[in-house]
Amino acid sequence: MKGKQENSRYSGDVLKNEMCRQEEICHDIRKNCTSCKCPREAHDVCHEEWVSVRSRLGLKGDEPSGPISVDPRERGLAWAPPGLASHKVEEYFSMLPEIAVPRLGTPGERHRDRQLAIQLPKQDLARAYCRHLDLKHASSADDFMAARNEIALDIGSVQEVLERNLECGVCQSPLKYGSLAVSASKLGLFYHPACFRCADCKELLVDLAYCVHDDTLFCERHYAEQLKPRCAACDELIFSGEYTKAMNKDWHSGHFCCWQCDESLTGQRYVLRDEHPYCIKCYESVFANGCEECNKIIGIDSKDLSYKDKHWHEACFLCNRCRVSLVDKQFGSKVDKIYCGNCYDAQFASRCDGCGEIFRAGTKKMEYKTRQWHEKCFCCVVCKNPIGTKSFIPREQEIYCAGCYEDKFATRCVKCNKIITSGGVTYKNEPWHRDCFTCSNCNNSLAGQRFTSRDDKPYCAECFGELFAKRCTACSKPITGIGGTRFISFEDRHWHNDCFICAGCKTSLVGRGFITDGDDIICPECAKMKLM
């Protein structure tokens, strides 16, 4: 069941890859697919002409072998350094990024396939795959390949570091004794597995295949490009002395072609789009815009005037009503039509709620709810200063700036006459700041405190008692009445309820009869005792 799922999952890629193989059979000067235009190495296209990379490179001799020779596929790998025991293979791959581990059925396997196609292009390795090599240059190609194979090309080997004080040939850091390193016999150097990379593309050298140029490691592709130009169209090396240079790239003569129709662009005008060249005809048919007025293509030799995803020839950019040219003029748009300023104003312009004049095309408009103004008319009704983007306050169809609104409508304290922004106090329907609402005598704040008033002035309980309250004949303290305090009056004297007691026995006389004895009051019993 698992195998069926995998086949279904990659069926689209397989179909695409088969199309790419068919494209390779056709006459095509590009390294890209004719059908989808993408680079062929982007597909899972495998070339099975070579049994191994060694034979693909054309190197003589057999694969190096070690004490244990096991097919990598039996370990679940598309490739492994030859001659290593299983645990050493795992140790080697643990020193690389996960994408560089070619486990079967993983992104690492597909990454290896693509790097094989990129780093070891088959047209570089065997003349049989050079479709665009002129026979008169065949010997030059053979000489180049033979010299490369003899002098520069080799495959690294993975070995255990058995010497001390060895350094990596790239980063110059020490190689740990007993660890694994890659040996490049052409240079006589050892490298950390993660440092064994092409100096140009910085990719790990696929299957340890490398070339040497000026004592530096390269993949075969970038080694070859140090010595020969490469055609940007067919991806083959150019062995002739005559070729085309365009777009900062090299091309076989005749291969600098339109990306759409493959017609040669040598000596012809072309347009560059997304880094690809197009002939004028193809560019106009694929990318040029159509004119809204005449419905014809706007060619590269015509000026393309655009507005809101619509395009016009310069000569077609006209007012929909009076047909005057709108080039370099103000215009308005309504229902997908364009109009000169006068025609737009006559048909569609709205009027300013400030001055009553129309809004001409291109005029800046200030809007609030259903009302609108010219920028200069959007002013405070009091100070007449333009509001612009500053804050404002609407009130009964009028607009006020914040300062004028506060001056005219904000609540002010009856004591200091300043604006109350928060935390005010109302007394007798008049607003006060909390800090301004104080006792008229001691100036302590009355906010949240008990208070009373006299002659319309507020007093705290203590000051009111001291200044105006009757005083108790017994204790001489004021009788304020705040909080429901009851008191007793007799003739011109007053007592707190608790202070109205017999001077003799000290019993309360509230609600009882009493007798005056000079300045004192006594109960009837004490009065009788005093007469006996």
Side-chain angles (χ1 to χ4, degrees), residues 384-488:
K384 307 302 181 183
N385 289 327
I387 292 174
T389 58
K390 295 182 291 187
S391 60
F392 65 92
I393 303 169
R395 184 184 175 98
E396 297 178 355
Q397 302 301 311
E398 302 289 358
I399 299 296
Y400 298 84
C401 65
C404 290
Y405 184 87
E406 288 182 350
D407 288 341
K408 189 166 185 175
F409 300 109
T411 302
R412 294 180 178 274
C413 175
V414 297
K415 183 175 182 179
C416 68
N417 200 37
K418 294 181 179 179
I419 294 171
I420 299 174
T421 57
S422 63
V425 174
T426 300
Y427 173 63
K428 289 190 175 182
N429 293 323
E430 292 182 323
W432 305 65
H433 288 113
R434 291 178 66 88
D435 294 339
C436 292
F437 189 57
T438 60
C439 173
S440 298
N441 184 57
C442 67
N443 283 327
N444 287 334
S445 175
L446 298 178
Q449 305 296 322
R450 294 190 304 168
F451 70 93
T452 188
S453 65
R454 186 179 181 91
D455 299 330
D456 292 331
K457 294 180 180 180
Y459 295 88
C460 65
E462 186 175 348
C463 289
F464 184 84
E466 292 292 334
L467 294 174
F468 307 112
K470 297 177 176 64
R471 291 188 176 273
C472 178
T473 300
C475 68
S476 299
K477 293 181 180 179
I479 303 172
T480 62
I482 294 176
T485 302
R486 301 177 68 182
F487 65 95
I488 296 168

Side-chain angles (χ1 to χ4, degrees), residues 19 50 76 87 125 143 148 153 169 200 277 296 298 306 320 345 397 446 478 495 508 528:
M19 292 171 62
W50 294 284
H87 70 283
L125 305 178
D143 292 342
R148 176 202 59 206
L153 185 61
D200 190 294
K296 295 179 180 179
I298 303 174
S306 64
N320 189 64
D345 291 343
Q397 302 301 311
L446 298 178
W495 293 264
S508 175
K528 289 179 181 180

Side-chain angles (χ1 to χ4, degrees), residues 317 319 322-332 339-341 361-362:
F317 194 55
C319 172
C322 69
R323 310 308 291 170
V324 67
S325 173
L326 300 179
V327 177
D328 296 329
K329 295 179 182 178
Q330 288 186 336
F331 65 92
Y339 300 86
C340 67

Side-chain angles (χ1 to χ4, degrees), residues 10-204:
Y10 296 113
S11 59
D13 285 341
V14 170
L15 178 60
K16 201 171 187 180
N17 297 337
E18 182 58 33
M19 292 171 62
C20 291
R21 292 189 184 97
Q22 293 174 5
E23 292 295 345
E24 288 181 347
I25 297 173
C26 299
H27 176 71
D28 181 10
I29 63 171
R30 292 199 199 98
K31 62 180 178 180
N32 296 70
C33 306
T34 303
S35 57
C36 63
K37 302 292 186 184
C38 55
R40 288 176 179 161
E41 61 266 16
H43 301 310
D44 297 333
V45 180
C46 300
H47 306 293
E48 299 176 354
E49 296 89 341
W50 294 284
V51 177
S52 68
V53 170
R54 193 170 188 83
S55 61
R56 175 173 184 150
L57 297 177
L59 298 178
K60 299 178 181 180
D62 298 326
E63 293 274 6
S65 59
I68 302 175
S69 181
V70 180
D71 185 351
R73 292 187 171 271
E74 294 180 5
R75 302 173 181 172
L77 297 164
W79 172 85
L84 294 182
S86 295
H87 70 283
K88 289 294 184 181
V89 169
E90 291 301 322
E91 179 184 345
Y92 168 77
F93 283 127
S94 71
M95 303 169 79
L96 302 180
E98 184 63 27
I99 192 65
V101 182
R103 299 192 190 281
L104 298 176
T106 69
E109 180 188 13
R110 291 187 287 279
H111 178 74
R112 172 181 176 262
D113 287 343
R114 292 187 179 98
Q115 288 304 310
L116 283 171
I118 294 171
Q119 294 188 28
L120 304 173
K122 62 179 183 178
Q123 66 272 17
D124 283 20
L125 305 178
R127 184 157 58 85
Y129 295 97
C130 297
R131 298 181 185 173
H132 307 286
L133 179 64
D134 194 307
L135 288 179
K136 63 183 178 182
H137 302 301
S139 60
S140 296
D142 289 339
D143 292 342
F144 174 82
M145 295 177 187
R148 176 202 59 206
N149 292 357
E150 182 68 26
I151 299 171
L153 185 61
D154 197 7
I155 297 178
S157 62
V158 179
Q159 301 177 18
E160 191 171 344
V161 178
L162 299 177
E163 296 182 39
R164 300 189 185 277
N165 301 322
L166 284 180
E167 293 182 349
C168 173
V170 171
C171 70
Q172 310 302 316
S173 297
L175 295 168
K176 185 177 178 181
Y177 181 81
S179 66
L180 295 180
V182 180
S183 170
S185 60
K186 290 284 185 183
L187 291 171
L189 297 174
F190 288 83
Y191 302 82
H192 292 110
C195 292
F196 200 59
R197 298 173 180 268
C198 171
D200 190 294
C201 64
K202 309 303 181 186
E203 289 286 346
L204 288 170

Side-chain angles (χ1 to χ4, degrees), residues 100-381:
V101 182
R103 299 192 190 281
L104 298 176
T106 69
E109 180 188 13
R110 291 187 287 279
H111 178 74
R112 172 181 176 262
D113 287 343
R114 292 187 179 98
Q115 288 304 310
L116 283 171
I118 294 171
Q119 294 188 28
L120 304 173
K122 62 179 183 178
Q123 66 272 17
D124 283 20
L125 305 178
R127 184 157 58 85
Y129 295 97
C130 297
R131 298 181 185 173
H132 307 286
L133 179 64
D134 194 307
L135 288 179
K136 63 183 178 182
H137 302 301
S139 60
S140 296
D142 289 339
D143 292 342
F144 174 82
M145 295 177 187
R148 176 202 59 206
N149 292 357
E150 182 68 26
I151 299 171
L153 185 61
D154 197 7
I155 297 178
S157 62
V158 179
Q159 301 177 18
E160 191 171 344
V161 178
L162 299 177
E163 296 182 39
R164 300 189 185 277
N165 301 322
L166 284 180
E167 293 182 349
C168 173
V170 171
C171 70
Q172 310 302 316
S173 297
L175 295 168
K176 185 177 178 181
Y177 181 81
S179 66
L180 295 180
V182 180
S183 170
S185 60
K186 290 284 185 183
L187 291 171
L189 297 174
F190 288 83
Y191 302 82
H192 292 110
C195 292
F196 200 59
R197 298 173 180 268
C198 171
D200 190 294
C201 64
K202 309 303 181 186
E203 289 286 346
L204 288 170
L205 291 161
V206 64
D207 291 10
L208 305 181
Y210 70 94
C211 286
V212 175
H213 181 69
D214 290 339
D215 295 330
T216 304
L217 293 175
F218 292 93
C219 65
E220 191 285 328
R221 169 181 291 275
H222 293 113
Y223 163 83
E225 291 174 7
Q226 301 291 315
L227 305 173
K228 295 290 182 181
R230 185 182 298 277
C231 179
C234 68
D235 204 39
E236 293 183 19
L237 296 174
I238 302 173
F239 291 98
S240 65
E242 295 181 1
Y243 58 93
T244 300
K245 294 188 73 71
M247 299 166 51
N248 294 320
K249 297 178 182 179
D250 302 318
W251 313 74
H252 280 114
S253 297
H255 282 196
F256 183 53
C257 300
C258 171
W259 187 250
Q260 185 72 17
C261 68
D262 289 338
E263 289 295 322
S264 175
L265 296 176
T266 301
Q268 305 295 321
R269 288 198 307 162
Y270 66 91
V271 181
L272 193 62
R273 175 75 178 241
D274 298 330
E275 297 186 358
H276 298 305
Y278 292 84
C279 66
I280 303 303
K281 182 179 179 181
C282 287
Y283 180 85
E284 292 182 346
S285 65
V286 177
F287 300 110
N289 298 303
C291 177
E292 288 290 316
E293 179 67 24
C294 67
N295 294 320
K296 295 179 180 179
I297 291 295
I298 303 174
I300 65 168
D301 294 322
S302 300
K303 184 178 288 188
D304 185 335
L305 302 181
S306 64
Y307 174 71
K308 288 187 176 180
D309 298 326
K310 296 182 181 296
H311 300 263
W312 292 265
H313 291 103
E314 184 175 18
C316 296
F317 194 55
L318 308 173
C319 172
N320 189 64
R321 187 178 183 188
C322 69
R323 310 308 291 170
V324 67
S325 173
L326 300 179
V327 177
D328 296 329
K329 295 179 182 178
Q330 288 186 336
F331 65 92
S333 173
K334 193 78 170 181
V335 195
D336 295 332
K337 302 294 184 182
I338 53 174
Y339 300 86
C340 67
N342 291 333
C343 291
Y344 183 90
D345 291 343
Q347 284 193 269
F348 310 111
S350 53
R351 294 185 178 271
C352 173
D353 284 311
C355 66
E357 296 295 325
I358 62 172
F359 291 100
R360 298 194 177 277
T363 303
K364 190 172 183 179
K365 183 188 298 185
M366 310 297 289
E367 296 182 341
Y368 175 70
K369 292 187 176 179
T370 59
R371 307 180 70 199
Q372 51 193 0
W373 298 264
H374 292 108
E375 186 176 19
K376 66 178 181 178
C377 298
F378 189 54
C379 301
C380 171
V381 71

